[in-house]
C-alpha cells in the first residue's frame, strides 16, 4: 500500500505566487488533515476534513484553502504565498474515531512532507 | 501555559541505558494520548497509544497519570536506532482538538 502520498517534496515560491500541495491516501480513511511544522512550534493543524464535501478550519487556516471532492484526495492551496508560510507541510489521514478523532485504533498516518520556501 | 509541554532535550544516553520522557498537558478533559516518533526530516510515525492502565510494547512502556496530567515514555536497553524526536500527542475531543508537543530529542551514543 502507498499509504499517504504527498507531492511535491520540495518547492520554492516567490511572494505572491500560488500553488497547490497534493495529498492522496489509499486507505479509505474518512479523516484527512494538513499540518505545518515549524521549529519550536510543534505540528499545527491548518485544515481538516471528515469526508468528501466536508472541510473545516484548524488552528492556523489563514492563507490556505482546501477542498475534498473525493475520499482519496485532499489538496491544500496557497492563495498568495508569503514568507511566513515557509514551513514543512504534512498531510495526515485516519479512520474516524467513535467520539473523537484519535480513538486508540485510529492513529494518524502521515505523508512524507513538503518542504516549502517562500522568498 | 502551553496545552502540551515537553522537555526539548536533547537527551544524550549511552547504548543500553534506560531513559524516560514526560509530557504534561493542561486540559483535564483530554481523552486520548499517543507517542509518535519523528526521525530527522521525516514524517511522524505512531510509536504507541497510551492507555489508562499503562501499556508496554517490547522495550517501550507508556504511562498515563491523569491526576498530575502527564504521560510518560520509558525506553529500556536503548539502541542507536532509537535516536529520534519523540512527540507527545493529546486529543481533547473533537476532530480538531489534536495537539502535538514540540518533541523531545533523544540521541543514543555508542
Amino acid at each position: 500500500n502507498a499509504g499517504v502520498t504527498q507531492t511535491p517534496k520540495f518547492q520554492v515560491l516567490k511572494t505572491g505566487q500560488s500553488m497547490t500541495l497534493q495529498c492522496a491516501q489509499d486507505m479509505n480513511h474518512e479523516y484527512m488533515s494538513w499540518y505545518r511544522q515549524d521549529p519550536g512550534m510543534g505540528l499545527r493543524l491548518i485544515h481538516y476534513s471528515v469526508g468528501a464535501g466536508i472541510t473545516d478550519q484548524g488552528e492556523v487556516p489563514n492563507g490556505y484553502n482546501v477542498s475534498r471532492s473525493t475520499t482519496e484526495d485532499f489538496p491544500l492551496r496557497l492563495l498568495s504565498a508569503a514568507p511566513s508560510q515557509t514551513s514543512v507541510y504534512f498531510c495526515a489521514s485516519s479512520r474516524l474515531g467513535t467520539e473523537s478523532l484519535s480513538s486508540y485504533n485510529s492513529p494518524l498516518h502521515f505523508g512524507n512532507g513538503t518542504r516549502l520556501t517562500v522568498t | 501555559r502551553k496545552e502540551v509541554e515537553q522537555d526539548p532535550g536533547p537527551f544524550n544516553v549511552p547504548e543500553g541505558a534506560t531513559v524516560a520522557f514526560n509530557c504534561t498537558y493542561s486540559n483535564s478533559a483530554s481523552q486520548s494520548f499517543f507517542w509518535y516518533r519523528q526521525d530527522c526530516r521525516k514524517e511522524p510515525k505512531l510509536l504507541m497509544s497510551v492507555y489508562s492502565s499503562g501499556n508496554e510494547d517490547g522495550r517501550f512502556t507508556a504511562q498515563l497519570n491523569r491526576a498530575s496530567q502527564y504521560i510518560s515514555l520509558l525506553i529500556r536497553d536503548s539502541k542507536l536506532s532509537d535516536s529520534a524526536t519523540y512527540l507527545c500527542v493529546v486529543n481533547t475531543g473533537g476532530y480538531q482538538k489534536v495537539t502535538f508537543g514540540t518533541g523531545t530529542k533523544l540521541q543514543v551514543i555508542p
Side-chain angles (χ1 to χ4, degrees):
Chain A
N1 282 344
V4 180
T5 303
Q6 270 184 253
T7 56
K9 289 192 187 311
F10 302 94
Q11 184 69 51
V12 178
L13 291 177
K14 293 188 188 304
T15 297
Q17 288 184 316
S18 62
M19 77 158 296
T20 299
L21 279 62
Q22 301 292 343
C23 176
Q25 52 92 11
D26 62 359
M27 297 173 283
N28 203 31
H29 285 168
E30 303 94 338
Y31 181 88
M32 295 187 75
S33 55
W34 278 100
Y35 287 87
R36 60 178 290 175
Q37 186 173 33
D38 303 291
M41 298 289 288
L43 282 97
R44 293 181 293 168
L45 182 65
I46 304 171
H47 285 285
Y48 68 96
S49 168
V50 298
I54 305 169
T55 63
D56 207 344
Q57 297 180 350
E59 180 185 355
V60 287
N62 292 341
Y64 307 95
N65 272 356
V66 292
S67 60
R68 184 95 179 269
S69 56
T70 66
T71 300
E72 295 78 20
D73 299 298
F74 191 47
L76 178 73
R77 279 182 287 278
L78 278 71
L79 309 172
S80 177
S84 61
Q85 294 178 304
T86 294
S87 187
V88 180
Y89 292 84
F90 289 103
C91 178
S93 72
S94 170
R95 291 193 293 120
L96 284 179
T98 50
E99 293 180 1
S100 65
L101 164 65
S102 293
S103 58
Y104 295 131
N105 59 351
S106 57
L108 288 167
H109 298 260
F110 285 86
N112 291 340
T114 297
R115 295 185 175 276
L116 175 68
T117 301
V118 183
T119 61
Chain B
R1 182 182 174 186
K2 288 185 181 177
E3 288 191 62
V4 176
E5 290 198 78
Q6 296 183 252
D7 183 339
F11 285 59
N12 297 313
V13 301
E15 270 187 291
T18 296
V19 62
F21 313 131
N22 282 346
C23 166
T24 59
Y25 60 94
S26 61
N27 190 333
S28 60
S30 298
Q31 299 177 0
S32 48
F33 310 86
F34 304 85
W35 284 103
Y36 281 71
R37 170 193 169 128
Q38 186 172 26
D39 293 300
C40 186
R41 302 176 77 82
K42 299 283 190 180
E43 74 274 20
K45 293 184 179 178
L46 179 70
L47 179 65
M48 58 197 306
S49 303
V50 186
Y51 304 137
S52 296
S53 55
N55 49 304
E56 187 173 310
D57 183 3
R59 298 181 293 108
F60 298 84
T61 300
Q63 297 280 353
L64 167 63
N65 186 316
R66 284 195 182 273
S68 300
Q69 295 185 199
Y70 73 89
I71 64 172
S72 63
L73 178 68
L74 180 79
I75 305 175
R76 290 181 296 278
D77 188 22
S78 298
K79 313 289 186 191
L80 295 176
S81 57
D82 294 333
S83 298
T85 296
Y86 291 84
L87 306 176
C88 167
V89 180
V90 175
N91 177 242
T92 56
Y95 306 116
Q96 71 276 33
K97 298 294 186 185
V98 177
T99 303
F100 285 77
T102 53
T104 297
K105 186 171 182 178
L106 171 66
Q107 185 69 44
V108 181
I109 51 182

